[in-house]
Structures are given as structure tokens and as C-alpha cells.
Amino acid sequence: MYELKQDWMPPERPQSYCLEDYEGGAPRWCPGCGDLAVLSALQRYVRDQQLPPEKIVVVSGIGCSSRLPHYVKAYGFHGLHGRALPVACGVRSRRPDLHLFVATGDGDCCAIGTAHWIHAIRYNMNMTVMLLDNNIYGLTKMQSSPTTGKGHYSNTHPGGAPLSAINPLLTTLSITNASFVAQTADWNPPHLYATLAAAHAHKGLSFVRVLQRCPHFMAGYFDELQKDPSLVRLLTHENGIAVDPAVQKAFPNRVEHDPGDLAGAMKFAGDRETHPIGLLYRNDQAESYDTFMASGLGTPANVKVAAIERELDRFTI
């Protein structure tokens, strides 16, 4: 008679994830939308890294780009307008084990969410923030956003946007404790992928601005950059974004830039003639709020209650 041993356990088999394991609902973005390229790069990256879907969380606010959590088969939080970053900080504070990605748009991050943007950069909690910047409010049908260029026509400014646009790169670089600032473009998939990979590998808040095409309300806005690569300045360095030499050849305007040089980063970010692509700044020594917020994790409930009671007893009359 045969029987199983009492201590027998089935052998563990290595889990292998394919791209379909990260694909959520069918994207409802317009054909040609740059958000599709970001979604594809993110899904390919987590597949290549074999990140368990149950260990991934994608947080967003409101806007076209903020629909991204619906299309990734992982945990997601589609929150309020401008509130993606405080939600993400809350997730990080309690779950340091998760891989945390944030999708936000130029309106979501740079308008109603500005205060949260500034403080999230200062907190430098470990997460990858993707600013999908199409320079327009697409979800509300072509209203000027904070990054809409001066003089550009929109439904809210039919005579042209009256003010100069905010520069998300310069703003982020100027915030205390910024630790990773990069820029890429949705129409260059290899560079987009490499940038997300470097951002995720960074310990701290990595801020990635993605120049993102909106074919419906901002049609042709980036055509000039696509047709004339010399208008793009590719930042290269051994500590920067690693891309294949074949990709580098697509950018005749290349410059060596040490991402540890903050003043140099601000110079490239503020350049009005060319658009920098690559890693502008990285500081691996920047302080992180993670350690402080994660204190007490794993403490049993009875110990927490006892500590609270001791604290309250100090004020007993």
C-alpha cells in the first residue's frame, strides 16, 4: 500500500510571466496616442524583470494618462485629480515591498497637484513617477494646461495661451532633495524603455517626464522634433541612461553630461533651443522619507495599543 509521507510537499516550480499576464483592459486612448507607447514599455519592462503582478501597484490621478492603471493587470488606484502622489506615498509608507509606479499628466501634476508634486519630490520615497506631458488638457477637450506653450491656440485661449509654460524639469530640479530627473519621448521606444528601467532601478523617487503626443488635440506638436533630430540633445554618460549605440546614432546632437552635475542639469533643462533627452540628474545619497514612514511595521497590535495607552496615561489628571 502506498501513501504520501506526512512531510511531503509538492516541488516548487519556477513561475514565469508572459506579457499577457500584465495586460489589463483594452486601452481606450485615441489611435496614435503616446500613452500607448508608455503602457507598452511599462508592460514589457515588468515582464522582462519578471515582477510578480501581485507585487506591482500603479497609481494615477485624473486625465487621459491616468487611465493607465486600468490597462495593467496588477493592483491599481485611479484616484482624484492631482492626488496621485499623496496616495502613492501612502502606499509606499505601508508596503515597502511593492513595485510602485505613478502615472500623471501635465494638468494632474503641474496644476491641481502642484503642492503634492513638490512635497513628493522632497520626500523622495521610492517610486517611479511618469509625467506624461502632452502640453494640453486632452480629457476635457483641448484646454490650456500649465505646459501649453505661450501663444498656442486652445479652447480656453482661442487667441493663444497668454503666459509662458511651466518647465517641469527645471521645477523638479529646483526642489530640495530631488534625486532622479530624466526626460524621454514616446516616439523612441528603446530610449523610453531604457529610461523607465533606470528609473525603477533607482532607490528613491525617480521623476521621468515623457514628451507625449496627443494626435487629437495637439496634432503635430512634436513633428518638428521627430523630423529634425538635431533639435534633441541626447545626454550620454556612463552613469546615465544606457541605450544601444544604434539608438544613439539617431541623435546627431549628443553631449556627455555627468548626472551628478546639478548646475549642468539645470542648464540643459532650461535650454530653449534644444530638448534634452536622457538622465539630467541623479543623487543616490538623497535622504528618503521611506525609513521614517516604515517604522513600526510588523509591530503586533497589542504592543501598539499598549504604547498608545502609555502615552495617554501621561496626560491623565
Side-chain angles (χ1 to χ4, degrees), residues 64 137-143 155 217:
C64 290
Y137 282 103
L139 193 66
T140 48
K141 318 301 182 191
M142 201 177 174
Q143 298 175 327
N155 286 337
F217 296 113

Side-chain angles (χ1 to χ4, degrees), residues 100-157:
L100 181 54
F101 298 90
V102 178
T104 183
D106 41 305
D108 189 65
C109 177
C110 307
I112 192 171
T114 303
H116 301 304
W117 171 29
I118 291 173
H119 290 288
I121 295 297
R122 186 171 70 90
Y123 292 164
N124 190 33
M125 301 181 78
N126 192 27
M127 64 183 76
T128 302
V129 178
M130 301 171 290
L131 170 62
L132 280 65
D133 190 356
N134 58 12
N135 304 113
I136 200 74
Y137 282 103
L139 193 66
T140 48
K141 318 301 182 191
M142 201 177 174
Q143 298 175 327
S144 298
S145 88
T147 62
T148 300
K150 184 177 182 179
H152 192 85
Y153 164 83
S154 73
N155 286 337
T156 45
H157 295 104

Side-chain angles (χ1 to χ4, degrees), residues 45 51 130 145 175 179 181 187 192 249-250 266 275 290 308 315:
Y45 173 71
L51 304 183
M130 301 171 290
S145 88
I175 298 172
S179 71
V181 183
W187 57 86
L192 172 60
K249 288 183 179 178
M266 299 191 76
H275 295 257
D290 290 37
I308 293 173
F315 301 97

Side-chain angles (χ1 to χ4, degrees), residues 20-310:
E20 288 75 15
D21 292 319
Y22 304 98
E23 293 178 347
R28 296 176 57 189
W29 292 312
C30 301
C33 176
D35 292 345
L36 292 160
V38 178
L39 172 65
S40 176
L42 177 61
Q43 290 172 327
R44 287 191 295 110
Y45 173 71
V46 295
R47 184 275 313 271
D48 293 346
Q49 294 297 310
Q50 288 291 291
L51 304 183
E54 69 273 16
K55 291 292 186 181
I56 299 171
V57 60
V58 185
V59 178
S60 70
I62 293 295
C64 290
S65 60
S66 293
R67 295 193 58 80
L68 196 141
H70 294 274
Y71 310 138
V72 180
K73 189 183 288 184
Y75 287 107
F77 193 104
H78 189 175
L80 298 175
H81 201 193
R83 309 297 184 251
L85 288 169
V87 171
C89 288
V91 172
R92 173 55 68 219
S93 67
R94 296 296 89 185
R95 294 297 303 269
D97 58 313
L98 298 179
H99 301 277
L100 181 54
F101 298 90
V102 178
T104 183
D106 41 305
D108 189 65
C109 177
C110 307
I112 192 171
T114 303
H116 301 304
W117 171 29
I118 291 173
H119 290 288
I121 295 297
R122 186 171 70 90
Y123 292 164
N124 190 33
M125 301 181 78
N126 192 27
M127 64 183 76
T128 302
V129 178
M130 301 171 290
L131 170 62
L132 280 65
D133 190 356
N134 58 12
N135 304 113
I136 200 74
Y137 282 103
L139 193 66
T140 48
K141 318 301 182 191
M142 201 177 174
Q143 298 175 327
S144 298
S145 88
T147 62
T148 300
K150 184 177 182 179
H152 192 85
Y153 164 83
S154 73
N155 286 337
T156 45
H157 295 104
L163 301 176
S164 298
I166 193 172
N167 184 325
L169 296 177
L170 271 180
T171 303
T172 304
L173 288 168
S174 66
I175 298 172
T176 302
N177 218 34
S179 71
F180 185 105
V181 183
Q183 179 161 268
T184 184
D186 76 66
W187 57 86
N188 193 310
H191 194 272
L192 172 60
Y193 179 98
T195 304
L196 292 184
H200 178 254
H202 176 72
K203 294 298 182 184
L205 191 149
S206 47
F207 181 86
V208 178
R209 183 194 188 197
V210 182
L211 302 178
Q212 181 246 317
R213 293 167 296 174
C214 175
H216 199 71
F217 296 113
M218 216 57 167
Y221 193 73
F222 292 113
D223 281 359
E224 194 175 9
L225 292 185
Q226 292 181 267
K227 293 176 181 176
D228 186 0
S230 67
L231 296 177
V232 175
R233 190 194 302 267
L234 180 68
L235 305 181
T236 62
H237 194 270
E238 60 181 354
N239 296 324
I241 305 297
V243 292
D244 191 275
V247 176
Q248 293 191 22
K249 288 183 179 178
F251 299 95
N253 190 359
R254 300 188 293 270
V255 61
E256 189 82 351
H257 166 62
D258 182 353
D261 179 8
L262 178 59
M266 299 191 76
K267 177 184 175 183
F268 289 124
D271 188 350
R272 294 178 180 271
E273 302 298 325
T274 58
H275 295 257
I277 295 291
L279 181 57
L280 287 98
Y281 181 65
R282 185 173 73 196
N283 178 9
D284 295 326
Q285 305 305 315
E287 296 176 309
S288 174
Y289 209 51
D290 290 37
T291 306
F292 174 80
M293 291 296 290
S295 65
L297 288 180
T299 304
N302 62 321
V303 175
K304 291 182 180 178
V305 171
I308 293 173
E309 290 180 344
R310 284 197 302 273

